[in-house]
Amino acid sequence: MKRAVYDIAALIARVVVGVIFVAHGWQKWQGGLGATSEGFAQMGVPQPQLAAAFSTVVETVGGALLIIGLLVRPAALLLLIGMIGAIAFAHWNNGVFVQEGGWELAAALGSVALLLLALGGGRLGLDGIIHGIYRKRAQRRAAEKASAGRPAPAHREDTQPVYRDEQPGYRPERPPREDTQPVYRDDTQTGYREDAGPGPQDETRQHPVPRQPSGHRSDALSEEDMRDVNALIGDEQRRPPKPPNR
């Protein structure tokens, strides 16, 4: 956020100050180097012809560079040197106000040039665009060098998928058995019982048979059959014993 605010402020300052410098330089250019050098000589500037040529070129070209944001720091340095010379040789003795030939305008322009020299012109200019392009290229080259320095991943010769059951030492999971205890049939009872474990051999124990589901059983006696059996047993008991044969 702070960087974006500075970029906008630097853009506004560059354009405004650049327009002022271009206007003063173009004014000197239209008046001619001879008239500008004579004016500098009257103000007591040493080497007036050289100073006139320097200020005319630097103010015109440097102001245009500030507007487009190209070579901002070198242009700001040259403009700062020109403003320091103007304050020292032409405006210092005239006071502060510009109406009286004072140094206020030269000092203000020189201060902005000093700020741009120290902090740059921001990203909203040709310098910022060119710098961003070179920075992206440098980052891309650094990434390529870093990737080139890493060992290449090993590729398997056999690209066929390897399933889990083909791996050495693999054991498939067996589903748990619901009932692993054998069930034996007991002839002395009408039902079934489970094996209680190892023990003496039982004559009535037969081979294990599967457990039948609860409900109606085909070999069980019905109630009518039980009544008939009880009636026969009762008749047998009520009959008197037969005398022995003589």
Side-chain angles (χ1 to χ4, degrees), residues 104-116:
E104 62 176 347
L105 179 60
L109 297 176
S111 299
V112 176
L114 177 62
L115 182 64
L116 295 176

Side-chain angles (χ1 to χ4, degrees), residues 228-241:
D228 296 337
V229 172
N230 291 333
L232 292 175
I233 294 174
D235 294 339
E236 295 263 345
Q237 292 178 357
R238 285 193 297 270
R239 290 177 184 177

Side-chain angles (χ1 to χ4, degrees), residues 34-213:
T36 304
S37 62
E38 290 179 2
F40 282 2
Q42 293 176 1
M43 287 184 290
V45 177
Q47 299 294 328
Q49 294 181 352
L50 182 60
F54 176 81
S55 62
T56 301
V57 174
V58 168
E59 290 177 2
T60 305
V61 179
L65 292 176
L66 291 183
I67 293 173
I68 63 177
L70 179 63
L71 300 175
V72 173
R73 292 179 186 272
L77 177 61
L78 295 176
L79 291 170
L80 177 61
I81 293 173
M83 292 301 100
I84 292 174
I87 292 171
F89 296 107
H91 303 289
W92 185 258
N93 295 328
N94 297 328
V96 178
F97 300 104
V98 68
Q99 293 87 355
E100 300 175 358
W103 49 265
E104 62 176 347
L105 179 60
L109 297 176
S111 299
V112 176
L114 177 62
L115 182 64
L116 295 176
L117 175 63
L119 301 179
R123 294 175 295 180
L124 301 179
L126 293 180
D127 286 343
I129 296 174
I130 295 172
H131 179 70
I133 293 173
Y134 277 101
R135 182 175 57 186
K136 289 181 179 180
R137 290 182 179 178
Q139 292 177 354
R140 190 182 301 110
R141 291 174 183 173
E144 291 176 356
K145 289 182 180 179
S147 61
R150 296 176 184 174
H155 296 281
R156 294 183 55 183
E157 296 181 356
D158 186 8
T159 58
Q160 296 294 331
V162 179
Y163 298 96
R164 189 172 61 174
D165 54 356
E166 297 178 0
Q167 297 177 358
Y170 170 74
R171 286 179 142 185
E173 297 181 358
R174 296 180 179 178
R177 298 176 61 182
E178 297 180 356
D179 188 3
T180 58
Q181 296 295 334
V183 179
Y184 297 92
R185 180 175 179 182
D186 191 354
D187 293 337
T188 61
Q189 299 178 2
T190 59
Y192 295 88
R193 63 184 179 87
E194 295 181 355
D195 188 12
Q201 297 293 332
D202 191 357
E203 295 180 357
T204 61
R205 182 176 299 175
Q206 298 179 1
H207 295 288
V209 295
R211 185 188 298 272
Q212 295 183 358

Side-chain angles (χ1 to χ4, degrees), residues 16-34:
V16 173
V17 175
V19 169
I20 295 173
F21 275 118
V22 169
H24 282 271
W26 186 252
Q27 184 181 20
K28 292 182 179 65
W29 193 277
Q30 286 183 340
L33 294 178

